Amino acid sequence: MKAAGEEQLEQYLKENFEWFHRHPELSYEEWGTTAKIRTLLTEAGIEILPCPLDTGLVAVVHGSKGIQSGREGTIALRCDIDALPVVEETALPYRSETVGKMHACGHDFHIMAGIGAAVLLGKRRGMFAGTVKFIFQPGEEESHGALKILETDVMDDVGQIWGFHADPTNEVGVVGIREGYVAAAVDRFVIRVRGVGCHGAHPDDGVDPILVSAAVIQALQSIVSRNVNAFHPALVSVTRLQAGTTWNVIPPEAEMEGTVRTMNREDRVLFERRIREIAERTAAAYGAEAETVWTPGPPAVYNDGRMAGLCGEVAEECGMITVPEESSLGGDDFSYYEDRDTVGRELPGCYVKIGVGVGKQIHHPAFCVEESAILPAAQYLAALLERALL
Ligand SMILES: [Zn+2]
Ligand SMILES: [Zn+2]
């Protein structure tokens, strides 16, 4: 049985979740989303920090039980707020009102679970000492939104970063928790192969960049099987290959693009070196040239052991079922908050997966969050943040 106040809160969370679901906005265009979050938090008496962000915002709840300041007494919860360029295929009465944009990653759920946790903590200020910052972050789907937050000074006094994601592989009431690496580093590469164009019937007059590309693509797959430690999760996928304009001309150039996913820091360096070597030397063997452009993305997400332990304890206290969090070679720019190279210090973090009902995977056009997941998620996050400050 829910208490009257709980029912009211649940209603509020569901109604506003539906609003966000109906009004998805893409990365760095979250103007209406940001305005709505600001309104809801302000109405709930939650303070919003002045912060030079175009989209996204940072709210804060101070405990009044005693004094706890600095990094010891300041923690943050990251909630990402952007949607995806996906045409929604659900039959929800509150489906997206913008064709081609959809909250297909559940960030609308993240927004309302975060607001709910802020509201609950706001009512319990007298029960804890310290400060909780709620980071409503733009641009997660573009992999670099966290850097916008880190460019401000808002994280400077934060001693712990917490994060979560909607999980459609688990029922409502289930939390996935794991210590160690839970999401991969996400790097991107482009290889341009330059040969010599010629007539399709006279390949001996040119250097065929398509044949070279085929050899490069085959050889790239040897990095995982022959260069990476067999106990390290890693993969490389070539996801785009473009060359030529017609059937009887060998083109002068080909271009391919892809992604590398790794969990270990040293493997990122290894991949960048081996991809360059394979592309350049394979091309040279065929009389062509290759150039590689490597674009590093967010590092792997690492869950601090002590924080992961607390996630489990609080989940049990909240009556939730805990399961081992599934590791994935997907990525999340949450890792930037924890990354020594980005923030200049170690910042312990923990990122859990909250069950939203079993259904289609995130980013699928029929992905959907069960609304009954929002209140328990808000309650769980509020309890977790409060305990983290004790
Ligand atoms: Zn996503
Ligand atoms: Zn997401």
Side-chain angles (χ1 to χ4, degrees):
M1 266 293 281
K2 290 189 181 91
E6 252 186 358
E7 251 171 49
Q8 219 178 357
L9 177 61
E10 178 155 49
Q11 195 50 35
Y12 164 87
L13 295 175
K14 284 182 180 177
E15 260 170 38
N16 289 299
F17 164 75
E18 290 179 10
W19 188 93
F20 286 108
H21 193 85
R22 281 201 310 268
H23 300 95
E25 292 175 302
L26 303 183
S27 301
Y28 307 122
E29 295 172 3
E30 309 96 334
W31 306 102
T33 305
T34 303
K36 180 76 173 178
I37 297 170
R38 185 179 294 277
T39 303
L40 292 175
L41 290 169
T42 307
E43 282 170 1
I46 310 284
E47 184 189 340
I48 292 165
L49 290 177
C51 203
L53 287 168
D54 291 331
T55 55
L57 61 83
V58 179
V60 67
V61 176
H62 297 288
S64 59
K65 194 178 178 191
I67 296 174
Q68 204 182 186
S69 57
R71 287 182 191 163
E72 277 290 284
T74 309
I75 61 175
L77 175 72
R78 193 288 297 262
C79 311
D80 38 6
I81 64 171
D82 53 334
L84 284 159
V86 168
V87 179
E88 181 159 353
E89 288 175 13
T90 73
L92 293 170
Y94 53 87
R95 66 185 162 272
S96 169
E97 288 178 6
T98 313
V99 177
K101 296 182 189 175
M102 177 191 175
H103 267 296
C105 204
H107 297 184
D108 45 359
F109 164 76
H110 298 177
I111 294 168
M112 285 320 296
I115 290 177
V119 168
L120 287 167
L121 269 188
K123 288 183 183 151
R124 292 178 60 81
R125 287 177 216 269
M127 309 299 287
F128 65 96
T131 298
V132 182
K133 291 183 175 176
F134 291 85
I135 314 288
F136 291 92
Q137 182 208 298
E140 189 281 326
E141 297 294 354
E142 287 286 312
S143 291
H144 292 88
L147 295 178
K148 297 263 177 211
I149 302 288
L150 287 162
E151 278 165 18
T152 73
D153 59 5
V154 77
M155 292 299 294
D156 290 1
D157 61 354
V158 170
Q160 279 178 357
I161 178 80
W162 297 86
F164 65 104
H165 206 287
D167 179 5
T169 67
N170 274 312
E171 297 295 353
V172 173
V174 177
V175 195
I177 304 166
R178 181 186 295 277
E179 178 183 344
Y181 288 110
V182 291
V186 179
D187 297 320
R188 176 175 172 178
F189 63 89
V190 174
I191 299 173
R192 290 189 195 101
V193 177
R194 264 185 302 279
V196 177
C198 57
H199 196 295
H202 299 286
D204 50 310
D205 286 344
V207 176
D208 181 357
I210 296 179
L211 182 65
V212 175
S213 299
V216 169
I217 291 167
Q218 295 267 12
L220 289 179
Q221 292 305 331
S222 71
I223 302 175
V224 172
S225 71
R226 288 298 172 267
N227 300 133
V228 175
N229 181 325
F231 291 94
H232 292 187
L235 66 79
V236 52
S237 292
V238 174
T239 54
R240 179 174 69 82
L241 172 62
Q242 272 167 335
T245 51
T246 187
W247 68 284
N248 56 359
V249 177
I250 291 176
E253 284 186 354
E255 185 173 287
M256 70 190 86
E257 184 173 20
T259 185
V260 168
R261 305 299 171 102
T262 51
M263 292 289 199
N264 295 70
R265 201 177 269 266
E266 63 272 25
D267 290 337
R268 298 180 84 182
V269 181
L270 171 76
F271 264 99
E272 183 183 357
R273 178 172 61 78
R274 286 298 292 143
I275 287 176
R276 285 186 197 282
E277 285 171 358
I278 287 170
E280 283 168 24
R281 294 177 193 179
T282 305
Y286 285 81
E289 282 176 8
E291 175 199 11
T292 303
V293 179
W294 176 264
T295 309
V301 176
Y302 185 84
N303 279 352
D304 175 80
R306 205 176 55 81
M307 291 171 75
L310 188 63
C311 287
E313 278 174 37
V314 173
E316 266 172 45
E317 287 163 17
C318 289
M320 298 176 99
I321 297 163
T322 60
V323 294
E325 180 173 357
E326 226 161 283
S327 296
S328 161
L329 288 175
D332 193 304
D333 71 354
F334 176 80
S335 57
Y336 278 127
Y337 296 103
E338 313 171 303
D339 183 40
R340 200 176 344 113
D341 296 341
T342 308
V343 293
R345 64 183 167 106
E346 293 283 350
L347 176 60
C350 191
Y351 177 95
V352 297
K353 301 240 176 93
I354 299 183
V356 294
V358 175
K360 293 282 189 263
Q361 261 301 345
I362 51 171
H363 292 206
H364 190 281
F367 166 79
C368 143
V369 168
E370 279 180 28
E371 290 187 288
S372 61
I374 312 170
L375 177 66
Q379 289 169 327
Y380 172 60
L381 293 168
L384 187 59
L385 294 165
E386 191 177 326
R387 278 287 299 280
L389 280 171
L390 290 180

